[in-house]
Amino acid sequence: EIVMTQSPGTLSVSPGERATLSCRASQSVSSNLAWYQQKPGQAPRLLIYGASTRATGFPARFSGSGSGTEFTLTIDSLQSEDFAVYYCQQYNNWPQTFGGGTKVEIK
Amino acid sequence: EVQLLESGGGLEQPGGSLRLSCAASGFTFSSYGMTWVRQAPGKGPEWVSSISGSGGATYHADSVKGRFTISRDNSKNTLYLQMNSLRVEDTAVYYCAKGRQPIDYWGQGTLVTVSS
């Protein structure tokens, strides 16, 4: 099973600043990496797939990069609605596996 | 608009069974693989099972293999998860989700609580 490790666990950011979230895979997942956003009491929502393709409905301030084992989610100029938990997930191998999440909170 | 409506959750004793259903609408159901993902309270998501559009291919996490079975009825646009031999550690919100690789839309979930 591929282990997905996210860092940091919590990120405190002021509105308007940039947030950089990391996700590492225990072995290569090529570009088969997704990011999900989850707000309290809601289901996760697909944010990024194919490591860098933004899903419908998300603005350009969200961007994903990386391949192989190292991935990054960048949120430029954080808005109030961006404070949430972000999970990475690999879908290159079965079983699909999720990271433990990064909570982006208001500083 | 994609809609996924889960039902069938509730309180069950260890060793018991539950069958979750997911009614899908807003897309051509038979053309898409479908997935069940669960999330225990305060934890991250855990992939449980996936099925191909035709139902001919299924995949299960080791933690549920032999106990849970994913299936679908394309004539009814409905996805199922039969859960047998339930354990306390199966307690979670169970999400029905569209897609397999990747999962591109999640329902709102149904709570399964396994407790004596």
Side-chain angles (χ1 to χ4, degrees):
Chain A
E1 170 176 317
I2 297 176
V3 177
M4 306 301 292
T5 303
Q6 290 186 243
S7 61
T10 302
L11 190 59
S12 298
V13 185
S14 299
E17 292 187 339
R18 169 183 287 182
T20 302
L21 289 65
S22 295
C23 174
R24 173 177 293 177
S26 60
Q27 64 187 75
S28 178
V29 298
S30 186
S31 294
N32 295 311
L33 189 284
W35 290 93
Y36 298 91
Q37 178 193 68
Q38 187 175 32
K39 297 181 179 179
Q42 296 184 17
R45 186 181 168 197
L46 178 66
L47 168 59
I48 298 282
Y49 62 95
S52 60
T53 302
R54 202 166 50 249
T56 303
F58 283 95
R61 64 178 180 272
F62 291 91
S63 62
S65 63
S67 66
T69 62
E70 300 284 342
F71 301 89
T72 301
L73 174 68
T74 302
I75 313 172
D76 285 321
S77 189
L78 268 159
Q79 305 297 303
S80 58
E81 61 266 29
D82 302 336
F83 292 95
V85 180
Y86 294 84
Y87 295 99
C88 63
Q89 180 219 17
Q90 68 82 17
Y91 52 91
N92 192 65
N93 288 44
W94 300 101
Q96 299 183 11
T97 46
F98 289 85
T102 292
K103 180 180 181 181
V104 178
E105 64 176 24
I106 299 174
K107 186 174 182 180
Chain B
E1 178 191 3
V2 173
Q3 291 195 6
L4 299 171
L5 185 60
E6 302 96 336
S7 61
L11 175 63
E12 183 57 66
Q13 294 186 341
S17 297
L18 282 173
R19 188 196 199 198
L20 305 185
S21 299
C22 172
S25 61
F27 63 102
T28 305
F29 182 68
S30 60
S31 295
Y32 289 88
M34 297 291 292
T35 296
W36 288 100
V37 182
R38 68 185 179 184
Q39 190 169 26
K43 303 292 186 181
E46 177 190 11
W47 170 78
V48 174
S49 302
S50 293
I51 188 168
S52 63
S54 66
T58 61
Y59 309 84
H60 294 86
D62 285 347
S63 57
V64 307
K65 202 170 290 183
R67 301 188 299 122
F68 291 11
T69 303
I70 189 172
S71 63
R72 64 192 297 159
D73 185 337
N74 286 345
S75 69
K76 295 182 178 179
N77 288 356
T78 302
L79 177 72
Y80 302 100
L81 185 67
Q82 178 66 45
M83 305 188 297
N84 300 328
S85 303
L86 282 163
R87 304 169 179 169
V88 171
E89 55 265 34
D90 295 322
T91 294
V93 174
Y94 284 72
Y95 294 100
C96 166
K98 172 178 168 283
R100 289 189 300 166
Q101 295 166 297
I103 298 165
D104 62 16
Y105 189 84
W106 304 52
Q108 285 306 302
T110 186
L111 177 62
V112 171
T113 303
V114 184
S115 174
S116 54

